[in-house]
Amino acid sequence: MSSSKHSSESRRLALSVLQPGFVGTEAPDWILRDIGDGLASVVLFSRNIVSTEQVARLTAQLRAENPELIVAIDEEAGDVTRIESATGSSRPGNFALGTVDDTELTEAVAADLGRQLRTAGVSLDYAPSADVNSNPDNPIIGVRSFGADPDLVSRHTAAWIRGLQSSGVAACAKHFPGHGDVAVDSHHDLPAYPAGLDEIAAQALPPFRAAVAAGVRAVMSGHLLVPAYDPDLPATLSRRILHGLLREELGFDGLVVSDAIEMGAVTARYGIDGATVKAVAAGVDAICVGGESAEESTVALLVKALSAAVSAGELPEERLAEAAGRVREFARWSAGLRAAGAAGEAAGDGIGHVAARRAVRLTGAARAALPLTVAPHVVELAPVTNMAIGKETPWGVAGPLRERLPGTTSVRVRGQELEEGTVALESCALEPAAGRPLVIVARDAARHAWMSRAVTGLTTARPDAIVVEMGLPGTTAAAAQIFTHGASAASGVAAAEILVGTD
């Protein structure tokens, strides 16, 4: 084979194992050229999305270059949404579904999401999160998990996969081998899961076994160190974990996708190019990139790194060819799944609304204080969210409550403002609420000391205040509490309806 032909083939193989993002609501020329040269996948983010109809036009434009192109999205519903990032998700997330614990409901919500994604032309969804949230201080998973019990997470992971794939969209169980028991956000640094083999087998792996049994054909690796399997390399870069554990022990023969390769957990040590090479060498078949690094130059850098690693003998050409083969196989299968999927528009706020309402829990004191008949003042305590949750995604209770009780006023308070003294709860929360109801909205108060202090201070001053917790339930001094188990738009509406007594 001539060197130019070999170089072309090497580029085609390298392109085929990348799943890059891009900027814009139409496909840039470089993406279309790369698809023509062998790029087999793209991933969409909120910056690419205006409406389902616009995304359908975009995916049609992309697939004109390759009808079997894998179009992926990171759409969990609930707090992590891309397809509804501008409005907030019309469906609750995993923790709310796990709280209801009705697998038929979980399957129906996922099928509803699948219909919307399929209509938009998406063929792979980086969901569900199969992580067991066994560490309540986890800064990255939280309400993205179905819960803290491995059996519950397993049955809902399987139900979610069945529902999504019944609508023609491939699921992807993440973040293998389980991101639920960590205390560091892998967007920024490398978390460790120090449990022993027996504990990992009992706590973290059951949902992934259930996912494989339910027919999942894609698994996403997590950027976390699991010393029981590999004391040196994070799961995404570990052959012991990706091949020894996932393929040999769990029997998974589908597509292994990396978590975003530009995340600090792997790039801080190896750079984005080094991490990409190590991931493919370890057993990753498709590299997700472009949440942050969405330029043509990033794809060019990774193609060059993969090709150079093959030439230098750092990456066996057979491993790259094997990865490319798995991508092709998955592309054919997912195209067939999409063609056979249940047609029809998503039900919008139908089943998502029902599920969000069913997930709400109230204390007895909250029931006694409701319904509100006078427009309240709402104080929303806003944490800094992790990077998986879009900053642009609206959340809270004040908006939907204002629609139902005109005259409702609100303020959103951030921890930094309280710590710097630029905002005082007395003036922004208590004084405007004088003579009328006070509603306090928290989001993981138990995880944020400033938020917990604010809730305690406000409920001490106003024992009649109603606290709406939209994150993981914790203990507060408030007697009247409402728990939504997630901060999606659907959950905010559900809370507002309960506050005003709407059936």
Side-chain angles (χ1 to χ4, degrees):
M1 186 185 296
S2 70
S3 60
S4 62
K5 190 171 181 182
H6 186 272
S7 173
S8 173
E9 179 58 22
S10 177
R11 172 175 162 77
R12 179 168 285 275
L13 280 177
L15 274 172
S16 71
V17 302
L18 301 180
Q19 296 194 337
F22 57 88
V23 176
T25 55
E26 295 183 0
D29 289 343
W30 69 267
I31 278 280
L32 298 176
R33 279 197 308 272
D34 281 354
I35 295 170
D37 289 346
L39 184 69
S41 318
V42 297
V43 55
L44 304 180
F45 293 92
S46 53
R47 61 176 177 246
N48 305 118
I49 294 166
V50 175
S51 65
T52 301
E53 295 74 23
Q54 166 266 325
V55 178
R57 290 194 296 273
L58 170 59
T59 54
Q61 181 190 14
L62 292 163
R63 285 211 176 90
E65 304 296 323
N66 173 7
E68 291 188 347
L69 182 76
I70 300 164
V71 178
I73 196 169
D74 187 16
E75 175 61 52
E76 299 176 16
D79 289 29
V80 178
T81 180
R82 306 290 177 249
I83 200 76
E84 296 184 293
S85 64
T87 57
S89 179
S90 57
R91 304 167 187 91
N94 286 1
F95 191 59
L97 295 171
T99 298
V100 178
D101 196 13
D102 177 346
T103 53
E104 289 185 7
L105 179 69
T106 294
E107 192 168 335
V109 170
D112 182 62
L113 173 62
R115 285 191 293 274
Q116 182 180 11
L117 295 179
R118 180 178 175 273
T119 299
V122 170
S123 55
L124 169 61
D125 187 6
Y126 296 149
S129 168
D131 307 294
V132 179
N133 197 55
S134 44
N135 182 349
D137 290 328
N138 191 322
I140 185 70
I141 302 300
V143 297
R144 299 167 66 191
S145 167
F146 289 109
D149 175 67
D151 290 339
L152 179 143
V153 175
S154 295
R155 62 179 173 265
H156 287 278
T157 293
W160 210 95
I161 289 165
R162 287 194 303 269
L164 188 78
Q165 295 193 165
S166 74
S167 295
V169 177
C172 178
K174 64 185 184 186
H175 306 82
F176 189 80
H179 215 305
D181 192 7
V182 301
V184 170
D185 184 344
S186 51
H187 289 95
H188 307 297
D189 206 348
L190 179 63
Y193 178 25
L197 293 177
D198 290 347
E199 184 181 337
I200 294 169
Q203 282 287 325
L205 296 182
F208 291 98
R209 292 187 186 278
V212 173
V216 82
R217 297 284 288 271
V219 169
M220 178 177 281
S221 64
H223 300 329
L224 71 161
L225 198 67
V226 190
Y229 284 98
D230 192 328
D232 302 313
L233 293 168
T236 298
L237 312 182
S238 171
R239 183 167 173 80
R240 294 182 198 172
I241 291 173
L242 297 183
H243 186 78
L245 177 58
L246 180 57
R247 295 227 183 267
E248 293 185 343
E249 188 177 325
L250 269 63
F252 179 68
D253 62 0
L255 187 75
V256 176
V257 184
S258 76
D259 203 349
I261 204 68
E262 64 262 51
M263 287 165 63
V266 289
T267 58
R269 288 157 180 80
Y270 306 106
I272 192 170
D273 48 351
T276 295
V277 170
K278 284 183 174 294
V280 175
V284 168
D285 303 308
I287 298 288
C288 171
V289 63
E292 299 164 73
S293 305
E295 306 81 18
E296 179 181 7
S297 58
T298 299
V299 173
L301 173 69
L302 300 190
V303 167
K304 182 179 177 182
L306 288 166
S307 299
V310 170
S311 298
E314 297 169 21
L315 173 62
E317 190 165 15
E318 309 81 64
R319 168 79 273 270
L320 184 60
E322 177 189 49
R326 282 218 185 86
V327 171
R328 282 194 304 275
E329 183 184 350
F330 182 88
R332 283 193 297 270
W333 172 77
S334 62
L337 186 72
R338 194 163 54 90
E345 286 291 333
D349 64 355
I351 191 68
H353 182 72
V354 168
R357 281 295 296 265
R358 286 183 62 187
V360 177
R361 302 289 182 266
L362 286 74
T363 60
R367 291 186 190 280
L370 299 178
L372 298 179
T373 54
V374 176
H377 182 57
V378 180
V379 181
E380 294 179 334
L381 303 171
V384 175
T385 54
N386 66 64
M387 288 176 67
I389 299 170
K391 287 185 172 62
E392 74 284 351
T393 305
W395 68 278
V397 177
L401 195 52
R402 192 174 293 113
E403 292 173 10
R404 289 156 179 81
L405 269 182
T408 294
T409 56
S410 66
V411 63
R412 185 162 284 190
V413 179
R414 292 165 179 81
Q416 187 178 357
E417 295 169 328
L418 292 178
E419 288 163 6
E420 292 174 350
T422 54
V423 167
L425 291 176
E426 180 70 33
S427 57
C428 76
L430 294 174
E431 289 173 9
R436 59 192 181 121
L438 173 63
V439 176
I440 304 160
V441 182
R443 194 171 179 181
D444 284 330
R447 276 196 53 242
H448 301 284
W450 73 266
M451 194 182 298
S452 183
R453 287 194 300 270
V455 171
T456 299
L458 290 170
T459 54
T460 300
R462 284 288 301 267
D464 62 331
I466 298 171
V467 177
V468 181
E469 173 58 79
M470 302 192 81
L472 295 176
T475 55
T476 73
Q481 296 183 75
I482 297 173
F483 303 100
T484 62
H485 304 99
S488 70
S491 297
V493 168
E497 290 184 345
I498 285 165
L499 285 164
V500 301
T502 306
D503 291 330

